[in-house]
Amino acid sequence: MLLGFVGHMRRAPHRCRVGGTVEPIPTDPRRRFRVAHARDGVEEYTERRVMSGHARIDTHQHYLPQFYRDLLDSHGMDAGGWPTPDWSLEAALALMDDLQIATGVVSLSSPGVRFDDDETSRAVARRVNEFVAELVKDRPERFGLFASLPLPDVDGALAEIADAYDELHADGVVLLSNVDGIYLGDRAYEPVWEELNRRSAVVVSSRQKFVMVSSFSLDKGYHRN
């Protein structure tokens, strides 16, 4: 399921699709709603308690752990052209409470996890995903995980999909619109899309700085200048 550019603070829907059927979400805050995961064709469910008095699920919420901020600073990088913001768990929870957000499904924003080379990028992706998995483990009623993938490294991305779903129990993945000028429609990414489709994954597309391409063909995909 491709969500595209996701908006802020969507109210929890009255009904949700679970296991191919549409079921009502209980309005009683003491009851639970279910998030479907497809794992090797077998659907499993993660139950999360809806916080009393809070009715919103925010699917466009970013996090910025200190080790990631330090990495950006050491590489002279910023948040996709914007000043790198401050972030803390306490501030995130306070904002969620102020805006009556029950659960934030968090993702890493631009510039993502692409650093230096494939090996470094894989290590960064694994570390940020494990960071959020710990947040979810500690506060399952407040946080969910859209995992980052180390594209354009296809093999690394496939390995991270497996770890994110099988070990970290991610709710989906976030993909930047392009990395190093390679867009999501590039044919090189077909194995990634096939694996995400096999897992019935939820995919969030996040905007990245536009890079001009010189041409496009159905056979070869995008061609960078």
Side-chain angles (χ1 to χ4, degrees):
M1 177 190 299
L2 180 62
L3 295 186
F5 303 112
V6 181
H8 294 270
M9 297 189 306
R10 303 292 176 82
R11 284 191 178 274
H14 297 296
R15 304 178 73 82
C16 65
R17 184 168 296 277
V18 178
T21 62
V22 177
E23 300 181 0
I25 293 180
T27 56
D28 184 344
R30 294 170 297 180
R31 297 183 64 188
R32 298 180 178 186
F33 68 92
R34 300 189 294 179
V35 178
H37 293 273
R39 205 172 294 147
D40 296 326
V42 178
E43 288 189 338
E44 300 180 5
Y45 303 100
T46 300
E47 294 186 338
R48 296 190 178 150
R49 187 177 299 278
V50 177
M51 201 172 108
S52 178
H54 290 49
R56 295 184 176 96
I57 300 173
D58 185 359
T59 58
H60 192 175
Q61 183 175 154
H62 298 306
Y63 66 100
L64 192 73
Q66 187 61 47
F67 69 82
Y68 180 75
R69 184 190 181 102
D70 293 343
L71 189 61
L72 292 181
D73 291 344
S74 69
H75 284 72
M77 300 168 69
D78 55 31
W82 297 90
T84 306
D86 293 325
W87 182 90
S88 71
L89 174 60
E90 295 74 18
L93 288 170
L95 179 64
M96 290 166 66
D97 289 343
D98 287 345
L99 298 177
Q100 295 188 331
I101 296 172
T103 302
V105 189
V106 298
S107 59
L108 197 67
S109 185
S110 178
V113 297
R114 183 62 178 173
F115 291 89
D116 298 329
D117 52 38
D118 289 349
E119 182 178 359
T120 301
S121 301
R122 291 184 187 192
V124 174
R126 183 62 53 88
R127 189 174 182 187
V128 296
N129 290 338
E130 289 179 345
F131 174 85
V132 180
E134 285 299 311
L135 293 185
V136 177
K137 180 180 177 181
D138 293 340
R139 303 298 298 271
E141 78 285 4
R142 301 310 306 270
F143 291 106
L145 165 61
F146 286 139
S148 296
L149 305 181
L151 291 172
D153 172 15
V154 171
D155 289 339
L158 292 173
E160 198 59 34
I161 291 170
D163 187 78
Y165 275 93
D166 298 339
E167 303 298 330
L168 304 182
H169 311 303
D171 297 292
V173 301
V174 58
L175 301 178
L176 296 179
S177 56
N178 82 86
V179 180
D180 292 347
I182 303 175
Y183 283 81
L184 296 179
D186 197 289
R187 285 196 174 275
Y189 288 169
E190 285 186 356
V192 175
W193 287 114
E194 289 171 358
E195 178 62 11
L196 291 172
N197 187 59
R198 185 182 73 83
R199 291 176 179 269
S200 300
V202 173
V203 178
V204 174
S205 175
S206 182
R207 287 171 290 183
Q208 173 73 307
K209 182 183 294 185
F210 178 74
V211 176
M212 182 66 71
V213 294
S214 59
S215 63
F216 174 80
S217 73
L218 293 177
D219 292 331
K220 297 181 179 180
Y222 291 99
H223 297 268
R224 285 165 287 166
N225 286 323

